[in-house]
């Protein structure tokens, strides 16, 4: 059975992996830090890693993108998009109290959560908990674990419902993220292609470094895709970390390397002196909520 490293337990990463890969299809290895997630696959402890790389409202997770680009050589093998619903969790002060939220907000003095999660709940925190101390931890699952370990009703976590169930925490408020259409994009990285269900879509992600002293190089790169009618779903400049003002372009392309047009486009931009690195050609999956039969 193939092994998958991820942030966990009790995280959105774990929830999303279970949804798209299944709980029984892979063996999951929980890590506390994202660096450990990457390293587990680099050193062969696991076959794959699951990494969150983009959020609807926070944009790219720069640290994780930089790991993919600068620190590891592991291709992207799949991607999926998963809805994020954030809950305010604490140990029960009074079991099943009917006004748990009102009482909870009054007693809470500290909240643990991942930095990205805290950023997604700013409006809720300003309106209901402006007095609390906020502390970032490595994952939302770790935040929930700390709340259970400290066993203090004045301490809470912003985390998924799964973390509350895992650590037997009370939900003071559900769905507290500032925006309800909050989705995170996850990628599966590894050296080999996994066996997965059929996908309706495919993407290719590349890095393009422009030649120096070549006016209009970026325009020519974009034109190579435009006249072939190849859609770019994302283009983002990232520092090469070699010198100030030196950037490469991280590009998501809605096309497969198996097509005729995409390889030709890459050859065209290489011909003008661009360096092209393919980070992966992979299937894409979307979340499909369960519908109840009438």
């Amino acid at each position: 059975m193939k092994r998958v490293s991820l942030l966990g337990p009790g995280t959105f990463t774990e929830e999303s992996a279970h949804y798209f890969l299944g709980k029984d299809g892979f063996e999951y290895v929980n890590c506390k830090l994202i660096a450990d997630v990457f390293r587990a696959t680099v050193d062969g402890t696991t076959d794959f890693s699951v990494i969150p790389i983009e959020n609807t409202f926070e944009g790219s997770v720069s640290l994780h993108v930089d790991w993919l680009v600068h620190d590891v050589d592991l291709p992207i093998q799949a991607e999926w998009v998963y809805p994020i619903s954030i809950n305010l969790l604490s140990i029960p002060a009074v079991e099943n109290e009917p006004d748990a939220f009102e009482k909870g907000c009054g007693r809470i003095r500290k909240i643990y959560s991942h930095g990205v999660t805290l950023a997604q709940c700013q409006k809720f925190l300003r309106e209901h908990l402006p007095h609390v101390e906020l502390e970032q931890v490595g994952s939302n699952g770790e935040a929930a674990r700390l709340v259970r370990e400290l066993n203090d009703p004045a301490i809470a976590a912003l985390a998924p419902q799964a973390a509350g169930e895992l650590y037997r925490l009370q939900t003071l408020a559900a769905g507290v993220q500032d925006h309800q259409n909050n989705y995170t994009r996850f990628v599966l990285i590894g050296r080999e292609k996994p066996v997965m269900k059929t996908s309706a879509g495919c993407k290719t992600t590349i890095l393009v470094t422009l030649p120096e002293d070549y006016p209009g190089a970026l325009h020519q790169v974009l034109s190579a895709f435009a006249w072939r009618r190849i859609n770019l779903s994302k283009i983002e400049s990232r520092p090469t970390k070699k010198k100030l003002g030196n950037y490469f372009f991280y590009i998501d392309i809605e096309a497969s390397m198996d097509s005729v047009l995409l390889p030709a486009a890459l050859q065209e931009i290489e011909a003008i002196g661009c360096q092209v690195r393919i980070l992966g050609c992979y299937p894409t999956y979307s979340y499909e909520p369960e519908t109840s039969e009438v």
Side-chain angles (χ1 to χ4, degrees), residues 218-229 268:
L218 179 58
H219 174 75
Q220 283 199 239
V221 168
L222 299 179
S223 297
F225 297 108
W227 77 261
R228 292 180 173 86
R229 303 186 66 83
E268 180 177 327

Side-chain angles (χ1 to χ4, degrees), residues 152-166:
D152 183 348
I155 297 176
L158 288 169
Q161 182 62 34
E165 296 171 357
L166 178 64

Side-chain angles (χ1 to χ4, degrees), residues 2-291:
K2 298 297 183 180
R3 308 181 82 218
V4 180
S5 53
L6 45 71
L7 282 177
T11 62
F12 294 114
T13 304
E14 182 184 56
E15 278 189 359
S16 73
H18 287 172
Y19 179 87
F20 284 97
L21 300 178
K23 291 186 177 181
D24 301 323
F26 296 85
E27 178 185 350
Y28 295 99
V29 178
N30 293 315
C31 302
K32 286 188 176 182
L33 301 174
I34 193 67
D36 296 332
V37 175
F38 279 106
R39 289 191 185 108
T41 303
V42 170
D43 66 22
T45 303
T46 60
D47 301 286
F48 305 102
S49 295
V50 175
I51 310 295
I53 62 167
E54 187 177 1
N55 177 262
T56 306
F57 299 100
E58 293 301 306
S60 295
V61 185
S62 298
L63 174 63
H64 301 180
V65 172
D66 282 351
W67 268 89
L68 275 176
V69 171
H70 297 290
D71 297 292
V72 301
D73 186 16
L74 296 171
I76 301 172
Q77 301 292 0
E79 76 154 23
W80 57 81
V81 177
Y82 190 71
I84 303 301
S85 181
I86 303 167
N87 296 334
L88 181 66
L89 308 171
S90 75
I91 66 167
V94 178
E95 293 290 344
N96 300 319
E97 54 187 7
D99 53 350
F101 177 65
E102 288 77 10
K103 290 182 180 179
C105 283
R107 72 173 184 256
I108 292 173
R109 57 179 172 79
K110 187 171 186 177
I111 291 178
Y112 289 104
S113 194
H114 190 275
V116 173
T117 303
L118 290 171
Q120 294 172 5
C121 301
Q122 287 299 301
K123 182 179 179 182
F124 172 81
L125 293 171
R126 285 196 304 268
E127 291 182 359
H128 300 286
L129 297 159
H131 59 285
V132 303
E133 176 188 355
L134 306 176
E135 183 168 333
Q136 296 185 27
V137 293
S139 72
N140 297 310
E142 176 66 7
R145 187 195 68 78
L146 283 170
V147 171
R148 170 48 65 186
E149 181 181 279
L150 296 170
N151 200 37
D152 183 348
I155 297 176
L158 288 169
Q161 182 62 34
E165 296 171 357
L166 178 64
Y167 295 107
R168 306 182 312 282
L169 300 179
Q170 181 180 35
T171 300
L172 299 180
V176 301
Q177 64 273 11
D178 294 341
H179 305 277
Q180 295 308 306
N181 56 333
N182 187 13
Y183 288 81
T184 292
R185 178 184 170 207
F186 295 87
V187 293
L188 183 75
I189 63 172
R191 295 184 178 89
E192 59 182 279
K193 290 191 176 296
V195 177
M196 298 185 67
K197 60 185 177 183
T198 302
S199 167
C202 182
K203 277 186 184 177
T204 300
T205 297
I206 64 172
L207 296 178
V208 176
T209 304
L210 304 180
E212 294 187 12
D213 302 323
Y214 191 109
L218 179 58
H219 174 75
Q220 283 199 239
V221 168
L222 299 179
S223 297
F225 297 108
W227 77 261
R228 292 180 173 86
R229 303 186 66 83
I230 299 173
N231 188 45
L232 308 181
S233 57
K234 179 179 181 179
I235 178 169
E236 178 179 350
S237 62
R238 302 288 304 163
T240 63
K241 300 188 178 183
K242 294 180 180 178
K243 67 178 182 178
L244 186 64
N246 196 297
Y247 293 86
F248 59 75
F249 291 88
Y250 181 99
I251 304 175
D252 286 337
I253 307 166
E254 293 187 350
S256 170
M257 288 297 295
D258 293 333
S259 69
V260 174
L261 294 178
L262 180 54
L266 300 187
Q267 290 173 8
E268 180 177 327
I269 63 179
E270 287 177 330
I272 65 170
C274 292
Q275 297 178 25
V276 179
R277 175 184 166 194
I278 299 175
L279 289 183
C281 178
Y282 49 89
T284 65
Y285 302 90
S286 298
Y287 175 77
E288 296 179 1
E290 295 182 358
T291 55

